[in-house]
Amino acid sequence: MSPDRYLAELARFLERLTGLARQPDDVLSRPVPACPGWTLEQLFGHLGSIERWAAAVVRGGTYVEEPAPPATGAAAWFIEGAEPFLATMASVDPGAPCWNFGAPPRTAGFWLRRQAHEHAIHLIDACQASGRAAPALSEDFMIDGVDEVLAMFTPRQVRLGRMQPPEQAVSFRVPGFHVPGAGSWTVGGGTAAASVTAALPDMYLGLWGRSSLQETAAIDGDAGLALRVLREPLTP
């Protein structure tokens, strides 16, 4: 997807999130189903921290420490930082050298993609906690998000020792996509011994633990291998 498209999606998600952050305290104190131990207020604190961190990284081009959210008033802190964050992201030169945790070449455009999907997933979380309908996500955006997980995050999880590499490869497939490089991914090396096939929304949400691929996906081949991979932390 183009940098402008990531930015447009990020702006759309931010607008919805700032509205949800203005809800009464009794709503902000509700638990977030997909983030055990977090209230909705704490979710906004996390987003406020991530936004300030990402903005500082793209401004300087180098790694900085992520700031901690305030002990109280995290939703208001998030609202306060949302507009400056979006302005910083809008000023990004996607091709400029910039630290990130993806594969080389490391450029600032990484952060447009990462923050668009970060905010999409947490908007879904905020909607669930608030009892609101989740936003509609386009197919190309979800395919891009599946690719981010399986081509960037999962290899990184293996590299950092956060998940065990599968003893044989497992392929992930989204039916209906036949563009080269889209619709099929492989985790692990060699010939795939199992495949996980799911509809696009199920795959996108399932890889982030917002739905259960063990329940919604079709698994072929070595089911035990596929299930072991699905139980691993494919994302941080």
Side-chain angles (χ1 to χ4, degrees):
M1 287 173 47
S2 71
D4 286 346
R5 180 67 191 290
Y6 288 127
L7 187 64
E9 294 287 3
L10 176 59
R12 181 168 74 96
F13 302 143
L14 268 173
E15 182 178 13
R16 184 83 184 273
L17 281 161
T18 53
L20 293 172
R22 292 187 172 95
Q23 295 180 105
D25 288 346
D26 63 322
V27 177
L28 293 174
S29 65
R30 292 178 184 175
V32 179
C35 304
W38 276 10
T39 64
L40 185 53
E41 178 101 30
Q42 289 170 315
L43 175 69
F44 286 120
H46 166 73
L47 279 171
S49 293
I50 288 292
E51 289 173 359
R52 286 163 173 81
W53 177 58
V57 169
V58 298
R59 282 195 300 267
T62 58
Y63 175 81
V64 300
E65 292 289 337
E66 181 183 335
T72 60
W77 186 66
F78 161 75
I79 293 168
E80 175 187 294
E83 187 175 337
F85 164 69
L86 185 59
T88 297
M89 300 309 289
S91 70
V92 163
D93 173 2
C98 183
W99 177 85
N100 63 62
F101 49 83
R106 294 190 170 91
T107 62
F110 170 94
W111 292 103
L112 290 169
R113 182 193 209 194
R114 176 80 289 278
Q115 290 307 304
H117 289 293
E118 178 84 7
H119 284 73
I121 291 297
H122 286 318
L123 174 54
I124 290 167
D125 291 337
C127 288
Q128 289 178 344
S130 303
R132 306 288 187 89
L137 301 176
S138 66
E139 287 190 343
D140 61 341
F141 184 82
M142 288 189 286
I143 278 285
D144 185 81
V146 171
D147 183 78
E148 187 194 40
V149 170
L150 294 175
M152 190 278 286
F153 268 121
T154 298
R156 179 173 181 263
Q157 291 289 90
V158 172
R159 188 171 67 250
L160 295 177
R162 294 173 177 173
M163 67 171 279
Q164 292 296 315
E167 58 272 25
Q168 291 179 277
V170 175
S171 67
F172 287 76
R173 300 171 184 165
V174 174
F177 290 85
H178 306 291
V179 178
S184 182
W185 301 262
T186 300
V187 173
T191 303
S195 66
V196 177
T197 303
L200 180 54
D202 292 330
M203 186 70 82
Y204 181 73
L205 295 176
L207 290 173
W208 278 106
R210 269 59 181 184
S211 68
S212 174
L213 283 171
Q214 297 178 49
E215 297 176 2
T216 60
I219 297 176
D220 295 306
D222 187 339
L225 171 66
L227 290 171
R228 282 196 298 278
V229 170
L230 289 177
R231 294 186 190 108
E232 291 281 350
L234 299 171
T235 59

